[in-house]
Amino acid sequence: MYKNLIYFGLALSFLTGCAQEETHYQFQVSDLEPNLIKLASDEFQGRRPFTEGEKITTAFLETEFKNLGLEPGNGDSYYQDVPMVSIVSKSAETMELKNSSSSVSLTGFQDFVIWTQKTDSLVEIKDAEVVFAGFGIVAPEYGWNDYAGLDVKGKIVVVLVNDPGFGTEDATFFKGNTMTYYGRWTYKYEEAARQGALGCLIVHNTIPAGYGFNVVQGKHHQPILYLDDRGKENYKLGVEGWLTLPSAKKLFELAGKNDSELLAAARKQGFQGESLGVNLTTSIQVEAEYNVSQNVVAKLTGKTKPEEFIIYTAHWDHFGIGKPDETGDSIYNGALDNASGTAALLALAKAYATDEKPDRSVIFLAVTAEEQGLWGSAYYAENPIYPLEKTVANINMDGINPYGKMKDVSIIGVGQSEMEDLLNVELEKLGRYSAPEPNPVAGYYFRSDHFNFAKVGVPALYFGTGIDHFEKGKEYGKSLQDEYVAVYYHKPSDEYDTSRWNLDGAVDDVQVLYNVGKSLANSDKWPGWKEGSEFKAVRDGYMKR
């Protein structure tokens, strides 16, 4: 109890140090809707990097920033070049699995999806040994090492999605149903590479993954972007990818394993990975193209503390033109994801340009290639235009409420930073509240651009649409989000449709984003990471220098 009172006092001290001035700018639907309609239109061709859609999008953003009177954000330019490589991995039609006496043939797209980060013209995997490594996690703070005593050099590692805490309801075991970074698919490939594996295949399961296998299938034979790291000695896996759960069961059966027992054992402390006695053969034909995409950045210089920065981010990109859906539509318009967030970024830029200039500088950063791996924000974090030690906070937008007025917002990553406290103050002023994200298993904290700021220690705020609908309650609000994931997420059907969109709630959320940023921009306080956050040590380290 005493500890809680101390914490409350510290939080109150931080919050009262932020300016309490009245916010002047009041947002309207007209601040959002025209740019949302524009960005989500077929004219923008799905806004895929390295396409005509990118040129149209970035030129539009530059023009909008100029028209608002904002300064170029990168010297005399509104652009930050992001060197990348586009890799098309054309996998073999089959993946052959065999033991000493029998074999199984899996079919590409249907049973597996694989790709590579290598730029060699052909990647051949011939009779590579297959090893099961549980969840593929090395987490000393949890006393967990799936690779202990396991030699995977030159081998194919098969691992499970998410982390061992999922389904336990025990928040002290990893984080229970809240996915840790160890559960994120990107981490699993990174760790397998650190272990020297030839490849890594993740067993897909819709509930712990947070999305269906159709999302994975969207990568099949499609261009995938990575940062251009030529000249750096970075080890890369020969093959990355996913197996469907039924295909994984065939693999385990071929290995003479009971899949239920094997998966249960992988959740227990002290699990020991093992070779499955199965060899894998497949290949990937590779087409690599080096190119430069662009972040678009604008600046409003602060009047008294111009060397301190608040950075708003939204990713402008989506999937471009791809596989047609059942209606024949092949343009992935990405209206919610993330034309809406980009339109919100422009609306915020307009508000800051119209209202009284804040004390601190405010940066508006529209980043590229989020859908391909958060690459635009990753490049910025590695090559910051503004010093990280002078960057007060990041406020990120990835999808803005299309469902009408909500009483709540969903905080992504509850308990991470003091930005959450500042948010709660501004919500309370408006008669609203925050709640933990309704689907923590999905690992959204690691799935948008704020994460790259967090990794380099900058306190980052990202909240999602709430579920507590003002008129129809939580069950209705949750059903709308479930419908979006099932029907619209990463599909051509994610279009702006006035018959099902209601931007009144979006206006409310953008107002909150503005109020939070404006309060901090007129403050001399620096939000920090809370105790227990894995990002606290990074921030503390360079702030002490």
Side-chain angles (χ1 to χ4, degrees):
M1 174 70 174
Y2 179 66
K3 182 178 179 182
N4 289 340
L5 288 172
I6 292 176
Y7 170 75
F8 177 78
L10 291 172
L12 184 62
S13 175
F14 164 70
L15 295 170
T16 54
C18 294
Q20 299 298 312
E21 66 174 28
E22 290 295 319
T23 298
H24 299 293
Y25 198 92
Q26 297 296 315
F27 289 84
Q28 308 293 328
V29 169
S30 58
D31 290 317
L32 287 168
E33 189 173 45
N35 286 330
L36 171 54
I37 291 172
K38 187 81 170 174
L39 288 159
S41 68
D42 286 355
E43 174 192 354
F44 282 64
Q45 302 178 24
R47 307 186 308 280
R48 187 180 184 90
F50 296 172
T51 67
E52 186 64 24
E54 167 168 6
K55 295 177 184 177
I56 296 169
T57 303
T58 55
F60 172 74
L61 293 173
E62 179 187 22
T63 298
E64 290 299 303
F65 286 140
K66 283 181 177 177
N67 289 343
L68 291 170
L70 295 175
E71 307 161 49
N74 188 15
D76 60 358
S77 175
Y78 288 91
Y79 297 109
Q80 180 187 37
D81 288 347
V82 181
M84 291 195 290
V85 58
S86 175
I87 300 176
V88 179
S89 300
K90 295 184 177 179
S91 60
E93 293 184 1
T94 61
M95 178 184 290
E96 305 299 329
L97 304 172
K98 67 178 182 179
N99 61 17
S100 58
S101 60
S102 60
S103 64
V104 169
S105 181
L106 303 180
T107 302
F109 186 77
Q110 175 182 312
D111 299 323
F112 68 89
V113 174
I114 58 174
W115 59 88
T116 184
Q117 291 192 47
K118 289 182 173 292
T119 56
D120 304 333
S121 60
L122 179 65
V123 175
E124 286 191 283
I125 311 295
K126 187 171 178 60
D127 291 328
E129 183 180 345
V130 180
V131 176
F132 179 62
F135 287 89
I137 291 172
V138 178
E141 67 271 35
Y142 293 109
W144 197 277
N145 187 350
D146 284 322
Y147 286 97
L150 198 60
D151 178 13
V152 299
K153 290 182 173 60
K155 302 172 185 178
I156 303 296
V157 178
V158 172
V159 300
L160 304 176
V161 70
N162 212 303
D163 62 47
F166 174 74
T168 65
E169 306 296 333
D170 181 0
T172 65
F173 183 43
F174 284 75
K175 290 185 180 179
N177 283 336
T178 297
M179 183 188 289
T180 65
Y181 188 51
Y182 297 116
R184 185 78 173 122
W185 59 272
T186 50
Y187 164 81
K188 296 175 189 292
Y189 299 141
E190 291 165 3
E191 188 58 52
R194 283 190 285 269
Q195 299 291 330
L198 175 59
C200 179
L201 300 175
I202 302 172
V203 177
H204 181 269
N205 191 336
T206 297
I207 295 176
Y211 44 81
F213 194 68
N214 65 290
V215 173
V216 176
Q217 288 173 317
K219 291 190 172 185
H220 184 65
H221 292 185
Q222 294 299 310
I224 300 177
L225 302 183
Y226 302 96
L227 293 182
D228 179 358
D229 65 352
R230 286 177 293 181
K232 299 178 181 178
E233 296 299 324
N234 294 332
Y235 177 78
K236 295 181 175 64
L237 299 176
V239 59
E240 301 174 357
W242 295 75
L243 298 174
T244 64
L245 185 58
S247 298
K249 289 182 177 181
K250 291 179 182 179
L251 166 64
F252 297 141
E253 183 178 347
L254 187 64
K257 303 292 182 182
N258 180 300
D259 63 275
S260 296
E261 293 178 359
L262 193 62
L263 301 188
R267 293 182 172 276
K268 296 179 180 178
Q269 194 82 33
F271 165 77
Q272 181 67 53
E274 60 180 306
S275 174
L276 294 178
V278 173
N279 293 331
L280 182 152
T281 297
T282 193
S283 64
I284 301 173
Q285 291 183 336
V286 179
E287 298 174 2
E289 176 189 359
Y290 290 91
N291 209 327
V292 176
S293 187
Q294 291 175 318
N295 293 332
V296 187
V297 55
K299 177 184 179 183
L300 179 69
T301 299
K303 60 185 180 182
T304 63
K305 302 184 186 73
E307 74 290 348
E308 297 177 3
F309 308 96
I310 313 293
I311 301 181
Y312 282 95
T313 51
H315 73 90
W316 59 254
D317 67 292
H318 201 57
F319 290 106
I321 300 174
K323 186 176 182 294
D325 64 9
E326 61 277 3
T327 70
D329 188 358
S330 62
I331 298 179
Y332 289 67
N333 302 84
L336 187 61
D337 184 17
N338 188 33
S340 68
T342 309
L345 185 71
L346 293 174
L348 287 161
K350 176 184 176 183
Y352 275 97
T354 303
D355 217 342
E356 182 181 353
K357 182 178 290 189
D359 292 332
R360 285 167 162 161
S361 295
V362 182
I363 309 302
F364 305 93
L365 178 62
V367 294
T368 183
E370 187 270 356
E371 300 290 5
Q372 299 286 344
L374 315 183
W375 295 122
S377 56
Y379 187 83
Y380 181 91
E382 294 174 10
N383 305 273
I385 298 171
Y386 304 99
L388 297 177
E389 63 271 19
K390 294 294 185 180
T391 302
V392 178
N394 167 243
I395 299 174
N396 184 52
M397 295 156 288
D398 194 352
I400 296 294
N401 177 12
Y403 307 125
K405 287 182 174 292
M406 297 285 179
K407 297 177 183 177
D408 63 333
V409 300
S410 296
I411 294 183
I412 311 300
V414 171
Q416 285 283 3
S417 84
E418 291 171 339
M419 291 295 290
E420 176 184 331
D421 303 322
L422 185 54
L423 169 66
N424 285 331
V425 167
E426 297 302 332
L427 286 169
E428 186 176 354
K429 290 177 184 177
L430 300 172
R432 302 179 68 197
Y433 69 96
S434 70
E437 56 193 297
N439 188 23
V441 62
Y444 286 116
Y445 195 79
F446 316 108
R447 290 171 60 176
S448 194
D449 294 297
H450 65 284
F451 179 54
N452 283 317
F453 285 89
K455 285 201 294 186
V456 295
V458 176
L461 175 66
Y462 170 42
F463 67 74
T465 299
I467 61 170
D468 193 355
H469 194 273
F470 257 97
E471 297 175 357
K472 300 182 181 180
K474 294 180 181 179
E475 288 188 12
Y476 175 74
K478 182 66 165 59
S479 71
L480 291 173
Q481 294 195 11
D482 291 343
E483 179 189 37
Y484 171 74
V485 173
V487 180
Y488 304 106
Y489 178 62
H490 285 185
K491 296 178 182 179
S493 53
D494 182 9
E495 297 181 321
Y496 184 67
D497 181 350
T498 54
S499 69
R500 62 182 180 84
W501 282 60
N502 180 342
L503 293 179
D504 290 342
V507 168
D508 290 346
D509 285 358
V510 173
Q511 188 73 57
V512 171
L513 291 165
Y514 180 68
N515 294 357
V516 170
K518 191 73 179 296
S519 174
L520 196 55
N522 284 317
S523 165
D524 59 1
K525 295 296 184 179
W526 290 73
W529 294 99
K530 294 188 176 182
E531 291 297 331
S533 170
E534 56 267 52
F535 311 112
K536 186 177 189 301
V538 181
R539 181 69 160 189
D540 290 349
Y542 65 67
M543 291 298 283
K544 288 176 181 177
R545 291 203 295 267

